[in-house]
Amino acid sequence: MENPASLRVALAVFTENLRTLSRHSALLFVRLVMPGAVLLLCGCGFHRHGHISGGQTISVSLTTTDPYGPYARAVRRELRLDGIEVLRNGSDATPETVRVDLISSQVGSDTASVFINGSTAEYEMVMDARVSITAPGCSPLSVSIRPHKSYINYTSGALAVDAAKEVYTEEMYQQAAMMISRRVLAIWDKHSTCRQPS
């Protein structure tokens, strides 16, 4: 039977070698694999979603029936966050300007679930919005957006329900604005194909 002391020593040596190997593997990963991945992503034109690459500038002419409402403000804010210039005046538009028309938006609510006694337990708020986006040289693209939120019916507090509705409505406007901004960026990336002769 082998000496327990020698087994402990062998186990300690093996554990130390394993730790050293793990450290070397981590260093190898950081020094070789990570820079390679960064170079590969940069080389293939990768850029963070929702932002413009290559120093391009996109200008947008935003038209809506309620330019100072929460929906239009959310869209303007999101476009600017994504590096898109929103023209203050439609007359400043150029042939390279993308036109975004906020055609309609409507927020409604419906019952999502009920209690055993038949009263509403949960509501679902839905926003139906229609947007038209026109890139330079392209036909207008009609987009339907339908963000939604669910909230609990607080039977003991009407004020809590009203506050929840207000917060969720703002969140839906923000969701819709993000979807619109992504569509503008996607359409801009493809708009050059509209100008190619058929």
Side-chain angles (χ1 to χ4, degrees), residues 23-194:
R23 273 189 238 118
H24 285 302
S25 298
L27 284 173
L28 182 67
F29 179 79
V30 170
R31 289 181 179 168
L32 295 178
V33 178
M34 286 294 288
V38 170
L39 287 173
L40 181 66
L41 289 174
C42 292
C44 70
F46 172 83
H47 59 280
R48 195 163 73 85
H49 178 75
H51 284 265
I52 304 164
S53 63
Q56 300 179 50
T57 301
I58 302 176
S59 59
V60 164
S61 172
L62 185 67
T63 58
T64 174
T65 55
D66 186 11
Y68 303 106
Y71 179 34
R73 281 189 279 116
V75 172
R76 273 195 296 270
R77 182 171 55 247
E78 189 61 34
L79 289 170
R80 287 174 180 144
L81 282 173
D82 286 341
I84 300 170
E85 178 190 9
V86 181
L87 301 178
R88 292 184 177 275
N89 192 341
S91 61
D92 296 335
T94 68
E96 291 298 315
T97 300
V98 178
R99 180 180 170 135
V100 177
D101 298 315
L102 305 182
I103 299 169
S104 64
S105 66
Q106 184 175 3
V107 177
S109 62
D110 200 0
T111 300
S113 62
V114 294
F115 291 115
I116 296 174
N117 63 6
S119 62
T120 302
E122 184 182 11
Y123 286 102
E124 182 177 41
M125 292 181 66
V126 180
M127 176 183 177
D128 284 306
R130 287 196 316 119
V131 182
S132 175
I133 304 173
T134 310
C138 302
S139 300
L141 177 68
S142 182
V143 180
S144 294
I145 297 171
R146 195 178 163 88
H148 55 88
K149 280 280 184 184
S150 298
Y151 66 94
I152 304 298
N153 180 24
Y154 300 102
T155 53
S156 59
L159 289 176
V161 172
D162 289 341
K165 281 183 179 179
E166 189 174 339
V167 169
Y168 293 147
T169 301
E170 288 292 329
E171 287 184 12
M172 286 192 295
Y173 286 144
Q174 184 62 33
Q175 285 181 19
M178 290 171 68
M179 293 176 191
I180 292 168
S181 185
R182 287 184 193 138
R183 284 300 182 96
V184 168
L185 290 166
I187 290 167
W188 177 262
D189 284 341
K190 297 176 182 176
H191 86 285
S192 59
T193 58
C194 296

